[in-house]
Amino acid sequence: MSDSDHLRLVSDASGSVDVAPGPDGDRPSPAGVTPRPVIDSVLAPLDGRLADLVALYEDLHRHPELGFQETRTAAEAARRLTSYGYDVTTGIGGTGVTGVLRNGPGPVVLLRADMDALPVTERSGLDYASTTPGRMHACGHDVHVTCLLGAADLLAAARDHWSGTLIALFQPAEEVGNGAQAMLDDGLYSKGLVPVPDVVLAQHVAPFGAGLIAYCPGACMAAADTLEITFHGIGGHGSRPETTVDPILMAASFVQRVQSVVAREVAPKDQAVVSIGSFHAGDTANVIPDQAVVRLSVRTFDETVRARVLAAIDRIAGAEATASGADRAPQTKILDSFPVTVNDSRTLRKVNEEFTQLFGPQRLFAYDPASGSEDAGVLATAAEAPLYYWWLGGWDPEEFRTALAAGRLAQDIPSNHSPYFAPVARPTLTMGVQALTAAAMNRLEAAGN
């Protein structure tokens, strides 16, 4: 998840370590929901496999790999998928891995996990902390890989209970926004490396109480554009500024003025974020440089708003250059771009019925759209398939409850991308495996249909 912050909770999310089944197992299942005895049977082996999954998670956390460098992680995913009986393809889009399990007629269901870590130095104090300086699984992708492998194992062992085709997809480079597209460009669908899915399902661990699932219908995560704007001036001696066109002043004026875009050009009913994250100019105190480079992040939830904001940024940059007397217009480069992540409401509703039967309604809660960004939706859009992307609680429930009660979530619970981000293995992995497995069963056909 790119540049995620804390989710703004919109209903109670106190957390719990208990992830035992919620509703009474003797109650009839709602229409379209996997019968309770069947889902219990499918999930039954998990307890005996959990120790291995915890060991896998800790191993992945110790050995983080950046985007398009996930060779060790990919090799382990491929090895395990092969042992479960999947048809495995490696090296898609660089380091991507897929496992396909064909099990008779029925829907094609794609489960996706991202694999890459971040260039962050870990400060969590975990005994299984990163062994690679300057790299860390600070966004929980090690959780995602582990949960998907656990679900792939359970679903392969339960082939008597479902019909259709299952795809387990391990994606590189989510953090830089082009891993999913790289897999598509390498022929994921066009060359038949996997069948085109009928639905795409994914989850992301987040800093709220383990044992909970959060969901958001419709646009659930923002489009993100990372821009680099280079302002051109005329350099010279710091003692004679009148002989120069100062790009630092030009860029600094832009930084101030661009804050007005959200405040004055975006309607209150719409959402947008414009944040300056980098400003580089010059090398020494007594020389005015000939250029200044600003990098900024733009988040929007609507294409019309996105176009308006990007146009305003270009307009302001150009106006500041003109006002400064620059003889060359600023240059804008888009460094990366994520589309809006949009959940299909019908798929969300049907899978949530499965979650409600399995976990109980008290473990599901709604959240407002998050200004972080994702590229899982690219896989669904390319297939013209619905997407459901949900959040998996990963923080120690007692710590989360205490911080929530005190109104100190932002201060006391480290967010994704923090060097202190440390999901607890249990019950996070348990619920993550259960959720992926149950969601897949909900979208596959029951055996014998």
Side-chain angles (χ1 to χ4, degrees), residues 11 69 133 138 374 400:
S11 66
Q69 301 174 26
E374 249 287 353
F400 184 82

Side-chain angles (χ1 to χ4, degrees), residues 38-51 53 150 153-155 157-158 433 437:
V38 172
I39 198 67
D40 287 347
S41 176
V42 172
L43 295 174
L46 178 57
D47 285 346
R49 300 176 190 184
L50 192 57
L53 291 175
D153 185 11
L154 294 181
L155 288 161
V433 173
T437 304

Side-chain angles (χ1 to χ4, degrees), residues 251-276:
S253 298
F254 165 80
V255 170
Q256 292 270 41
R257 176 76 184 205
V258 80
Q259 305 306 316
S260 70
V261 173
V262 173
R264 290 294 177 266
E265 300 192 42
V266 176
K269 67 181 178 60
D270 297 321
Q271 291 179 277
V273 177
V274 176
S275 297
I276 308 296

Side-chain angles (χ1 to χ4, degrees), residues 14 396-409 412-413:
S14 58
D396 177 86
E398 289 300 326
E399 291 183 15
F400 184 82
R401 270 196 293 269
T402 299
L404 183 65
R408 290 185 53 85
L409 288 179
D412 296 345
I413 305 298

Side-chain angles (χ1 to χ4, degrees), residues 169-182:
L169 184 145
F170 296 84
Q171 179 203 307
E174 182 276 333
E175 295 294 353
V176 294
N178 54 10
Q181 190 61 52

Side-chain angles (χ1 to χ4, degrees), residues 158-188:
R159 276 172 279 196
D160 289 347
H161 292 298
W162 58 270
S163 180
T165 298
L166 182 67
I167 303 168
L169 184 145
F170 296 84
Q171 179 203 307
E174 182 276 333
E175 295 294 353
V176 294
N178 54 10
Q181 190 61 52
M183 295 187 76
L184 291 168
D185 291 344
D186 207 14
L188 180 69

